[in-house]
Amino acid sequence: MKSLLYFLCGLLLLTACKRNRDEGMDIPPSISSFWPNSGKAGTIVTINGAGFKRKDNEVTFNGTAATVLDVNDTVMTVLAPASGSSGKLSVKTNGKELQAGTYTYQNLSMRGANPLNGPAGTNVVIVGEGFSSINAPAKVLVNGKEATITSVNDTTLIASVPVSAGSGAIKVVVDGKEVTGPAFLFQDISKIKPLKGGKGTQVTITGEGFNIATANNTVAFNGVAGTVISATATQLVVATPDDVATGPLTVTINGQKTVGPVFTVIPPPVLATVAPLSGPAGKDVTITGVNFSGVLDENNVTFNGVAGVVKQASDKELIVTIPAGAGTGNMKVWVNGQETGGPQFKEQNLGVVSLLPDNGLAGTTVTVTGIGFSANPADNIVTFNGVTANVVSATATTLEVVAPVNVTTGTVNVKVSSLDAIGPVFKRAGVMTLAGGPGTGMFAGATGLTGDRNGNLYFLQGQQVKKLSPDGTVSTYTGGTVSAHVDGPLATALFQNPRTITVDIYDNLYVLDGIGQRNYVRKITPAGDVTTALTVLDNISGALAVDNNGTIYVGKVYQGVFKSEKNGSLTKFSGFIHTVPDKMAVDALGNLYYAGGDYYNPFVVVVPTSGLNRVLAGSLFDVGFVDGDGSMARLGSPLCVMMDPTSGNIFFVDNMNMSIRYVTPSGTVKTVTGAGGTFESFKSGYKDGTLTEALFKSMNGIHVDRNGSIFVLDQSNNAVRKIFLK
C-alpha cells in the first residue's frame, strides 16, 4: 500500500513539473513582418513572427475576416478576403490581438522571390503580377537600394542585387504603386584573418549574411571544404582542411556562393637562430627564420608552455619578451596555427645575446654581448664548441675573448659561477693566405685555378702548369720555359700560350692553349700523360669546360659556345654572340654555366641541354654590387665560374667588386667575402681575417673543393687565398 502511495505522489509531482515547464515555455505572440503588403483578393499573405497558436486564429483585412491556410509557431499564411479593403491587417492569436501593418488592395502583387540570400550581383527572380507598365519601367529595391532589372514581364521580374545593398525587404514599384515582399539576406565577406597559413589554421571570416547555424555555412579554400567551428550573422571561424591550397575563400549558404579574398598557403615557420637561450623574465629574445607573420597577434611563442609577449614581428624575425615563470623547457612558435618546436630555454640571470664577429679563425677577437656576466674576466668561462677561450676583458654585459687555436664551428657558451648559458653559433670561417703574398712575386702573371680530389691545386704561369700542394708548396707540374706543342710525359711535354685550366670528375686536367687560329685542348691524366684531346682551327676565347661524360666545351670569339663530338668535330651549343673569357661549369644534368666577364656583360648565364640561353643572375650593361634574386642582383665583372660539388651553387670572382660571390641554381646571388664587407665597388687591398674583414685585388682563378673550402688566385697580391666556410 505504501509503495502505491509513493507512486501516486511521484506521478502528481511529475505532472505538476511538466505543466510548469510548458507554462514557462509559453512565448508571447508577436509579428515581425508580413508580405506582400498589397495584392488582389485571394493573394496569399505570409505573416512572420512568434508565439502563434496552432488553431483558433482570427485574421482580418481592414475588419474583414480572412481564411487562415496554415499556421505554426512562427509563420501564418492567409488569403486576402474577396470583400476586404485596404487598411490594417490584424491578427488575433493565443488570446492577444496584434497589428501587422497596412495591406493595400491593388493589381500590383508579389507571390514570391528566389533566392532570398546571396552576394551583390545575385539574380533574384520575383514572381507576382502587375509588373508591366506603359508609363515607366518597374523598379526593384533591395533594402532601399535600387537593383538593376535584367528581365521583366507582367508576372516575372529578374533583378541583380546591388553592391553594398545590405539585408532588407524586396520592394517593387510600378507607376507609383509599390509592393513589399520578403526580406533578402545580403551576403558579404569584408575580410579574412589570417590571410596566410596552412593545415589546421583557424581563419576568422568577417562580413554579413552568415547563417547562425554552423552546419548551414559551407566554407571552402580554393574549392576544398573547411570545418566551420562557430557562426554568428557577422562572423565565422573555420579550420582549414588538411589538403588546403592557395586560392579564393568562399562561403556558400542555401546554394548561394560569396567569394572572398585569396588565402595563401605557406609552410610552417622555420627557426634559424634564437638568442639569447637564457635570461630573466622581462628581457627580450630575438628569433630569426622564415615564414613568420608581420601581424603581431598571428605569432605565438611559448617558453616551456608559458606564453611570451611578441613585441615586434616581420616575416623573418620575431622579438619576444621572456615571461615570468618560464623555468627551463623547450620553446615553441606558432604562426597562424602552424607549430614549430624550438630549442630549450632557461630562465636565469645569465644569457648570451650576440657575437661580433660571428665567424673567424684562430686568434680572432670576438665581442660577446649578453647579461649577467662578471666584471672580473677570470670569473667568466667561455668556450667555443667546447674549447676554452681566453677572456681578455669583461663587464656585466660584454666579454672580449680570443678564438682558441683549435677553434671549430659550434656554440659559444658562457659559465659564471653555477650558471651556464648557451650562445649563438660561431663559425670557423674566414680568409687566410695559403701561399705567397704581396712582394713575394710567387704568382706574377699566373692565371686559372683548379684542383684534384687529393687537395692539390693547379694553375698556369708562363708556358707551364704549376702545382700547389695542400701545405702551400709550389712546384712545376709540367711544361717548359719554351713555347711549343709537344705531347708526352709530364717531364717532356710543352705548351704554347696556356690560358685556361679545368678538371673533370676523374682528376684529368684540361688546358686550353694555342695561338691565333690553331688552338688545342690538352688533357693531362693523373698518371702523367699529356695528349691533345681536341684541335680547334679557329679563333677561340678562353672559355673551357668538361662534363661528366668527357664532352669538351669551348668558346669561339663572338660566335658562342661549341661542344665536342666523338669524331672530334664541334657543334654549336650556345647561341650567345658575346665572347666567354674563361672557365665555365657543367652540372650533372648537362646545364652549362658561364659568366659574362666584364662591365658590359655583368651576368651569369645558364644554358640547358636545349641550348636556349637564359640570364640566371644580373642584367646586361647594368653593373653594381647588389645581392638578390635573378635580374634584381647586380654584378661587376664576374669571372671564372666553378660549381660547388656539394651544394650545386655556382661560385665566381667579381673583380670590379673585389669579392667572391655565388649564385644558386634558382638565381639568387650572395656575397661570400671581399670588399671588407662594405659592398663598395673597387674596394681592394690585402687582408686576411673574418669573412667581413678580408680584402682582395684582381682575382683570376677560383676552385671549390669537396669540403666546401674556396681557393682564389689573387694575382695582384701574388697570393693564393683559402676561404674557410665550415
Side-chain angles (χ1 to χ4, degrees):
M1 185 65 181
K2 187 182 292 185
S3 298
L4 179 60
L5 289 174
Y6 286 154
F7 174 75
L8 292 174
C9 289
L11 184 61
L12 289 172
L13 181 62
L14 181 62
T15 302
C17 289
K18 182 177 185 301
R19 183 175 64 252
N20 290 337
R21 184 173 69 250
D22 290 344
E23 291 172 354
M25 293 176 64
D26 195 21
I27 299 173
S30 63
I31 295 175
S32 58
S33 66
F34 77 99
W35 66 273
N37 65 346
S38 72
K40 298 178 180 179
T43 298
I44 297 175
V45 178
T46 300
I47 304 169
N48 301 300
F52 296 158
K53 192 176 181 182
R54 294 181 178 270
K55 59 182 180 178
D56 299 330
N57 297 286
E58 298 178 9
V59 179
T60 59
F61 285 66
N62 200 26
T64 302
T67 301
V68 178
L69 298 177
D70 190 29
V71 63
N72 59 37
D73 293 343
T74 60
V75 179
M76 186 183 300
T77 56
V78 299
L79 285 177
S83 56
S85 60
S86 298
K88 297 294 183 181
L89 191 157
S90 302
V91 177
K92 187 175 182 181
T93 182
N94 205 10
K96 185 176 181 180
E97 186 169 344
L98 306 170
Q99 299 299 319
T102 300
Y103 182 87
T104 303
Y105 274 79
Q106 61 184 15
N107 290 331
L108 181 62
S109 181
M110 188 187 308
R111 291 199 301 273
N114 186 61
L116 288 177
N117 68 288
T122 300
N123 285 321
V124 179
V125 179
I126 304 168
V127 179
E129 56 185 330
F131 297 154
S132 296
S133 172
I134 60 173
N135 298 319
K139 290 184 179 181
V140 174
L141 304 176
V142 178
N143 191 35
K145 296 181 176 64
E146 187 170 350
T148 301
I149 297 176
T150 58
S151 179
V152 61
N153 58 41
D154 192 61
T155 59
T156 305
L157 279 170
I158 299 178
S160 178
V161 175
V163 174
S164 303
S167 297
I170 299 172
K171 182 183 290 186
V172 177
V173 180
V174 180
D175 291 340
K177 299 176 182 180
E178 63 179 47
V179 58
T180 300
F184 182 86
L185 186 63
F186 184 77
Q187 294 171 210
D188 181 63
I189 299 173
S190 58
K191 71 174 183 178
I192 66 172
K193 187 177 185 304
L195 286 166
K196 299 178 181 180
K199 171 185 174 181
T201 296
Q202 287 194 10
V203 179
T204 299
I205 307 167
T206 302
E208 59 181 302
F210 305 142
N211 197 296
I212 60 173
T214 57
N216 292 338
N217 304 276
T218 300
V219 180
F221 297 79
N222 199 30
V224 182
T227 301
V228 180
I229 299 171
S230 64
T232 69
T234 58
Q235 190 175 88
L236 300 175
V237 178
V238 189
T240 60
D242 289 350
D243 51 348
V244 61
T246 297
L249 178 146
T250 60
V251 176
T252 303
I253 302 169
N254 296 329
Q256 299 303 306
K257 180 185 292 185
T258 303
V259 180
V262 169
F263 181 83
T264 302
V265 175
I266 60 171
V270 177
L271 308 187
T273 63
V274 177
L277 284 172
S278 61
K283 292 293 184 179
D284 291 338
V285 172
T286 299
I287 305 171
T288 66
V290 293
N291 302 329
F292 304 142
S293 173
V295 181
L296 283 179
D297 64 2
E298 292 180 4
N299 306 278
N300 295 285
V301 180
T302 60
F303 298 72
N304 192 29
V306 182
V309 177
V310 181
K311 292 173 57 178
Q312 296 180 35
S314 69
D315 61 339
K316 294 183 179 179
E317 184 179 88
L318 301 176
I319 298 179
V320 189
T321 301
I322 303 167
T328 298
N330 285 352
M331 297 176 65
K332 288 186 178 181
V333 177
W334 286 266
V335 179
N336 296 335
Q338 298 193 93
E339 176 187 342
T340 294
Q344 186 181 80
F345 183 87
K346 186 183 297 184
E347 184 185 8
Q348 61 180 21
N349 290 321
L350 178 66
V352 180
V353 175
S354 64
L355 310 174
L356 186 67
D358 64 357
N359 68 88
L361 303 175
T364 300
T365 299
V366 179
T367 300
V368 182
T369 303
I371 50 177
F373 302 151
S374 171
N376 181 7
D379 292 340
N380 304 280
I381 300 174
V382 181
T383 57
F384 285 66
N385 200 26
V387 180
T388 303
N390 180 33
V391 180
V392 178
S393 64
T395 70
T397 57
T398 60
L399 302 174
E400 296 291 329
V401 300
V402 178
V405 173
N406 50 347
V407 64
T408 56
T409 297
T411 59
V412 173
N413 300 343
V414 177
K415 182 176 182 180
V416 179
S417 188
S418 61
L419 301 179
D420 289 285
I422 300 174
V425 171
F426 181 85
K427 292 179 288 188
R428 181 179 181 263
V431 179
M432 63 168 284
T433 298
L434 179 62
T440 64
M442 284 182 61
F443 298 95
T447 185
L449 193 66
T450 194
D452 61 25
R453 288 173 291 180
N454 296 317
N456 299 302
L457 299 175
Y458 302 88
F459 62 94
L460 304 172
Q461 193 171 30
Q463 305 300 326
Q464 297 174 327
V465 178
K466 297 291 188 72
K467 179 179 179 180
L468 176 59
S469 61
D471 64 1
T473 302
V474 176
S475 60
T476 298
Y477 187 59
T478 186
T481 57
V482 298
S483 174
H485 176 232
V486 178
D487 288 338
L490 295 177
T492 59
L494 297 175
F495 293 82
Q496 191 175 39
N497 188 33
R499 52 195 183 276
T500 307
I501 185 168
T502 190
V503 69
D504 66 14
I505 60 175
Y506 305 106
D507 284 346
N508 295 299
L509 299 176
Y510 293 82
V511 177
L512 180 63
D513 77 333
I515 298 174
Q517 293 195 348
R518 184 170 290 276
N519 294 277
Y520 311 96
V521 177
R522 314 285 292 282
K523 180 179 180 179
I524 308 171
T525 67
D529 295 322
V530 180
T531 59
T532 298
L534 182 67
T535 300
V536 183
L537 300 178
D538 204 344
N539 190 10
I540 67 173
S541 66
L544 177 65
V546 182
D547 67 17
N548 292 348
N549 299 316
T551 301
I552 300 170
Y553 298 79
V554 295
K556 293 186 179 183
V557 177
Y558 301 120
Q559 296 182 58
V561 177
F562 293 73
K563 70 175 183 177
S564 66
E565 303 295 342
K566 292 183 179 180
N567 61 4
S569 64
L570 292 174
T571 57
K572 196 166 190 176
F573 182 69
S574 164
F576 254 108
I577 61 171
H578 61 261
T579 301
V580 183
D582 46 38
K583 184 169 67 173
M584 305 180 293
V586 186
D587 65 20
L589 300 176
N591 300 302
L592 178 76
Y593 302 86
Y594 63 82
D598 56 34
Y599 309 131
Y600 302 104
N601 300 297
F603 47 72
V604 174
V605 170
V606 58
V607 188
T609 54
S610 64
L612 298 175
N613 300 276
R614 177 171 61 87
V615 174
L616 184 63
S619 179
L620 186 65
F621 299 123
D622 196 356
V623 299
F625 197 174
V626 180
D627 286 350
D629 296 333
S631 61
M632 302 301 294
R634 291 294 178 266
L635 316 180
S637 50
L639 292 166
C640 314
V641 301
M642 167 73 195
M643 178 164 289
D644 180 358
T646 302
S647 68
N649 295 324
I650 300 93
F651 286 78
F652 59 93
V653 299
D654 188 338
N655 265 341
M656 186 189 87
N657 297 317
M658 302 299 172
S659 62
I660 290 85
R661 309 174 76 181
Y662 70 87
V663 56
T664 65
S666 63
T668 300
V669 174
K670 295 186 179 181
T671 298
V672 178
T673 185
T678 63
F679 279 82
E680 294 179 17
S681 299
F682 300 106
K683 185 175 177 61
S684 64
Y686 175 75
K687 186 176 182 180
D688 286 341
T690 66
L691 297 178
T692 54
E693 294 174 333
L695 294 171
F696 300 82
K697 188 176 182 180
S698 296
M699 301 159 285
N700 60 354
I702 189 170
H703 175 70
V704 184
D705 70 13
R706 56 184 176 176
N707 297 316
S709 295
I710 306 169
F711 300 86
V712 176
L713 178 57
D714 192 358
Q715 187 193 50
S716 293
N717 283 321
N718 293 314
V720 170
R721 317 279 292 279
K722 182 176 182 179
I723 303 168
F724 297 84
L725 295 181
K726 298 182 180 180

